[in-house]
Amino acid sequence: MAEVDDAMNTVSARAVSEFLNALSRGIELDRSAISDQFRNNPDLVSSFSDLSATLTRWKQKDRERSALLESASELIRVRDTKKLLQKLVDRARTLIGCDIAYLSQYYPETNDLRVQASRGAISTKLKTLRVPPGIGLAGQVVHDRAAHWTSNYDLTSLPHERRVDSAVSAERMESLLGVPMVVDGEVLGALFAANRYPHDFTSDEITLLSALADHASVVLKTARLMGELADAARASAEAEESAAARASTLRRLVEVEEQLTQLVLQGHGVSAVLDVTSEMLDAALVVIESGRLDSPNFPNDEAFFDGLKVKKADINSALKHSRETGRSAQVAGAEQLFAASVVTHRRQHSGLFVRFNGDPADGDANIVAQAAQSLALIRMNEQARADADNRVRGELAVDIIAGTRPLSELEARSRTETFSLAGPWHLMTIQANTEADDRIVARLTRIEPRILITQRSPGITVLIPSSVRKERPTLASLFKESAALDSSLVIVSETEYPRAQLNNAENEMWSCIRILNSLGIYMGLYPTEDFAPYTAMFGSAPEQVERFMDNMLGPLHRWDRGHSADLTSTLREYFESGMNIRRTASRMSVHVNTVKQRLERADLVLGEEWRAPEMSFRLQVALRLDKLRSSL
């Protein structure tokens, strides 16, 4: 056997070789075993012990490097943040050999630390732990951005907090090491290793935990960046989608505007716009004029609103908003009902109503507004044409009544065959609110386009050709039934007037209206022939009617009021009975003596001269006017 001579002792080469083989295989040598083998050579024992410790430390370092490399590799492969953080915590506990390892994330908005992953905990308090700013070892780590440790947590002079101390106590922590997770000067959290016994942490443990904390920092930073990228991508996608939707909506609006504009330019009417818009929007549409909008029964009397619980005030509010903004407005209480004001210079209250069959799409409200604008243009065009048409009607009517121009010249001036300039004529005079004159003219000409109409200072004069009246004998009734003449005082002539008599006939009819006004009558439709005697008597001074009646009948009225008598009606019946007392008594259903007594009393009130022919005539006229006033 070969031996090694140490001048003092001889060592077996086989024994040395066996120890070296054991070390090369990674077997950790116990110092006592080395001493037993080489007890006579203490230097060799120390050398082998140091070599074994060095090799063990190298193996540990190699394991740590492998763990860090594996951790770095996982940073590349794994995208689950929670899973990565948990792996880092697990690895920290394994490599350092501690009882508990946990990771807390820092939230700058609340300035606290919240546990995100842990391993080795025996209570639930640690998993839900939130460390307020500046509290305990964790607060010191975040504040200083440096590693801190203690071998006995209870003895530290750092600020304590009840909930934190409760969690530490529940885990029975004694020694605790914390290292910061910092990226680009920003604290993202802290990584902790703790034991349930006193322990002085080595520099190697601090370095290893710091390296793992750096990896955790990368994980959180990457997760944040990925989140920001995802948010940015999502926002970009949403913006792109929104832009595409807006572009699509804009294209649709442009197409709709072009289509509606073409309808207007091609001279189509309101119904064409409503039909096209209805098809575009999959909705029902209706235009309601100002008269119906102002009706006290609106909207209950409109079938269009059946099934909708809408209030008139909400509809008016939507129309007002539309007039002020030029846009359509949803009617409160009805998500599928939109209103838009059809604004023209004469129909401020007309409204377009759209009732969608489903939920309105983006841009549909704009289409409703465009449709309302197109309808307004059509209405304005129609009104402009009607105004021009009515100007011609009015000029022709004035010239025909005045009789100053030959009929051939008037026919040459007529630009259309709609008007009939051939007489004779029937006349109609209308006294109405001046604001309603345009509405009346529009409705009458719509019923019968061949009539001529001119606006006079008292109101409107209508010339109806006799040929038209013969074709349509119920024309006056149609005018009345159309509601065009509601709230108006209308005088109609049954007489046919040649052109030479039109001027006088018109003056007589306006005199008739003034006489009725003097009697307090401002509404109704009456034949002028019924008032011929009165116009003959008071035509030049209708204001005299009231004075005449008061002079003739005033004493009778005062007597009747003061004595609860009935002299006025008795005298009226007396004259209408041909001044026959018995017939008067029969008509009044009273005794003959009663009539005689009343006539004698009239002698006292009026004087016996009331029976004279002239006075009797005047009294009869006054009594007829009085009856007319009370009956109309």
Side-chain angles (χ1 to χ4, degrees):
M1 177 184 298
E3 295 182 349
V4 178
D5 190 1
D6 188 317
M8 292 284 302
N9 298 306
T10 300
V11 179
S12 169
R14 180 183 293 276
V16 172
S17 176
E18 289 176 354
F19 274 99
L20 291 175
N21 287 333
L23 289 174
S24 67
R25 294 196 301 272
I27 298 174
E28 187 175 351
L29 300 180
D30 184 75
R31 186 178 182 87
S32 60
I34 299 173
S35 298
D36 291 343
Q37 186 68 33
F38 304 112
R39 66 174 58 91
N40 295 327
N41 198 325
D43 291 338
L44 191 58
V45 170
S46 296
S47 297
F48 272 115
S49 296
D50 292 342
L51 180 59
S52 177
T54 299
L55 291 175
T56 298
R57 189 164 55 252
W58 286 353
K59 286 172 59 180
Q60 176 64 20
K61 291 292 184 181
D62 185 60
R63 286 197 298 271
E64 292 175 1
R65 282 193 297 271
S66 298
L68 291 176
L69 288 173
E70 184 178 355
S71 177
S73 176
E74 288 173 347
L75 294 180
I76 299 173
R77 296 194 311 270
V78 182
R79 289 291 177 264
D80 190 329
T81 302
K82 290 186 66 176
K83 185 181 294 186
L84 271 175
L85 294 179
Q86 187 61 55
K87 280 180 172 289
L88 286 168
V89 169
D90 292 346
R91 192 164 286 120
R93 180 169 180 260
T94 300
L95 293 177
I96 295 178
C98 58
D99 293 330
I100 308 167
Y102 63 95
L103 182 148
S104 294
Q105 186 174 349
Y106 176 66
Y107 288 83
E109 61 272 11
T110 56
N111 196 24
D112 63 0
L113 286 163
R114 304 176 194 176
V115 174
Q116 299 296 323
S118 65
R119 184 65 71 192
I122 59 176
S123 75
T124 58
K125 292 183 177 181
L126 183 64
K127 295 179 181 180
T128 59
L129 179 62
R130 297 177 64 170
V131 180
I135 297 299
L137 187 77
Q140 195 72 20
V141 170
V142 172
H143 180 269
D144 296 341
R145 299 187 182 184
H148 284 273
W149 62 92
T150 178
S151 59
N152 193 326
Y153 181 83
D154 291 336
L155 299 180
T156 59
S157 59
L158 297 171
H160 288 255
E161 197 264 347
R162 179 181 56 80
R163 286 170 297 180
V164 176
D165 289 347
S166 175
V168 171
S169 176
E171 295 296 336
R172 301 199 299 274
M173 296 183 194
E174 292 195 30
S175 54
L176 180 64
L177 165 64
V179 295
M181 296 158 50
V182 182
V183 174
D184 297 332
E186 179 185 4
V187 177
L188 301 180
L191 183 61
F192 298 92
N195 292 303
R196 297 187 176 93
Y197 55 87
H199 174 70
D200 291 324
F201 290 95
T202 66
S203 59
D204 288 344
E205 291 172 329
I206 296 172
T207 300
L208 176 60
L209 194 63
S210 296
L212 292 172
D214 289 341
H215 285 191
S217 299
V218 172
V219 172
L220 289 179
K221 186 69 173 181
T222 302
R224 179 186 297 180
L225 291 175
M226 293 298 291
E228 292 173 354
L229 287 174
D231 291 342
R234 185 164 49 253
S236 176
E238 291 174 355
E240 184 178 352
E241 182 178 351
S242 176
R246 285 196 298 270
S248 176
T249 300
L250 183 59
R251 284 194 300 272
R252 181 171 177 240
L253 292 176
V254 170
E255 293 172 357
V256 170
E257 184 176 9
E258 291 177 350
Q259 191 169 357
L260 293 177
T261 301
Q262 286 299 316
L263 291 177
V264 175
L265 295 177
Q266 292 169 7
H268 291 281
V270 171
S271 59
V273 173
L274 295 182
D275 290 342
V276 169
T277 309
S278 174
E279 184 177 352
M280 290 176 182
L281 299 178
D282 185 25
L285 284 79
V286 68
V287 176
I288 297 181
E289 305 297 341
S290 57
R292 290 159 65 195
L293 288 175
D294 295 335
S295 168
N297 297 322
F298 178 82
N300 297 328
D301 58 351
E302 294 290 341
F304 181 83
F305 297 98
D306 288 350
L308 295 177
K309 296 180 179 179
V310 292
K311 300 177 181 177
K312 184 176 181 178
D314 293 331
I315 292 176
N316 290 337
S317 177
L319 289 175
K320 179 181 177 182
H321 177 78
S322 177
R323 284 195 297 273
E324 292 173 349
T325 63
R327 301 179 178 180
S328 65
Q330 181 182 343
V331 178
E335 295 182 358
Q336 295 174 332
L337 180 63
F338 279 70
S341 178
V342 182
V343 182
T344 65
H345 63 294
R346 296 187 181 180
R347 292 186 173 87
Q348 290 295 327
H349 299 293
S350 299
L352 168 64
F353 295 92
V354 179
R355 185 172 180 176
F356 288 89
N357 295 323
D359 294 331
D362 291 340
D364 282 356
N366 291 333
I367 293 177
V368 174
Q370 288 179 349
Q373 293 169 6
S374 299
L375 291 173
L377 287 174
I378 290 174
R379 287 288 178 80
M380 292 175 68
N381 289 337
E382 290 176 347
Q383 190 63 53
R385 288 194 297 270
D387 289 345
D389 188 63
N390 289 335
R391 277 196 301 272
V392 175
R393 290 179 191 274
E395 292 170 357
L396 292 173
V398 169
D399 288 337
I400 288 176
I401 293 172
T404 56
R405 297 178 184 275
L407 189 61
S408 59
E409 180 182 337
L410 300 183
E411 290 175 343
R413 284 170 53 195
S414 177
R415 296 188 297 271
T416 175
E417 297 178 357
T418 301
F419 309 138
S420 177
L421 304 183
W425 310 83
H426 291 272
L427 286 177
M428 177 186 292
T429 52
I430 304 168
Q431 182 188 53
N433 188 328
T434 54
E435 295 180 357
D437 284 354
D438 290 335
R439 174 177 56 82
I440 292 173
V441 170
R443 291 190 179 182
L444 294 185
T445 54
R446 193 178 304 124
I447 295 173
E448 177 48 67
R450 291 173 290 180
I451 62 176
L452 298 178
I453 299 180
T454 181
Q455 289 182 307
R456 302 296 210 185
S457 57
I460 299 171
T461 297
V462 183
L463 276 69
I464 306 173
S466 178
S467 58
V468 173
R469 184 66 178 272
K470 290 176 181 178
E471 290 179 17
R472 307 183 69 179
T474 60
L475 190 60
S477 299
L478 289 175
F479 285 160
K480 186 175 181 180
E481 291 169 2
S482 71
L485 303 176
D486 286 352
S487 304
S488 303
L489 178 58
V490 183
I491 301 298
V492 180
S493 73
E494 297 294 338
T495 305
E496 294 181 353
Y497 296 102
R499 184 181 181 190
Q501 298 177 5
L502 285 176
N503 195 14
N504 291 334
E506 183 193 28
N507 291 334
E508 181 180 348
M509 294 177 74
W510 282 114
S511 295
C512 183
I513 284 181
R514 287 192 292 270
I515 290 172
L516 291 177
N517 289 164
S518 69
L519 296 174
I521 300 170
Y522 297 94
M523 293 175 55
L525 190 152
Y526 308 102
T528 186
E529 288 77 12
D530 290 355
F531 302 96
Y534 311 115
T535 55
M537 294 175 63
F538 303 103
S540 60
E543 67 278 359
Q544 297 291 335
V545 173
E546 187 68 27
R547 188 179 302 115
F548 169 77
M549 292 176 64
D550 187 61
N551 289 337
M552 298 304 300
L553 303 180
L556 290 174
H557 287 324
R558 287 190 290 273
W559 177 272
D560 286 344
R561 287 194 299 269
H563 298 81
S564 300
D566 202 9
L567 295 185
T568 304
S569 60
T570 300
L571 288 183
R572 183 185 302 118
E573 294 295 336
Y574 178 66
F575 284 122
E576 291 183 0
S577 300
M579 303 178 70
N580 184 293
I581 294 178
R582 290 187 177 279
R583 195 177 301 133
T584 302
S586 176
R587 286 168 64 97
M588 297 187 69
S589 300
V590 296
H591 197 272
V592 171
N593 290 336
T594 301
V595 175
K596 289 180 178 180
Q597 290 172 2
R598 290 179 181 178
L599 294 178
E600 291 173 357
R601 200 167 291 122
D603 291 340
L604 296 175
V605 175
L606 299 175
E608 294 184 1
E609 62 273 13
W610 70 269
R611 300 172 186 269
E614 177 63 25
M615 186 65 173
S616 174
F617 167 73
R618 292 172 180 266
L619 188 58
Q620 289 183 59
V621 171
L623 287 169
R624 286 181 179 277
L625 288 172
D626 184 62
K627 181 179 181 180
L628 177 66
R629 176 168 56 185
S630 62
S631 63
L632 295 181

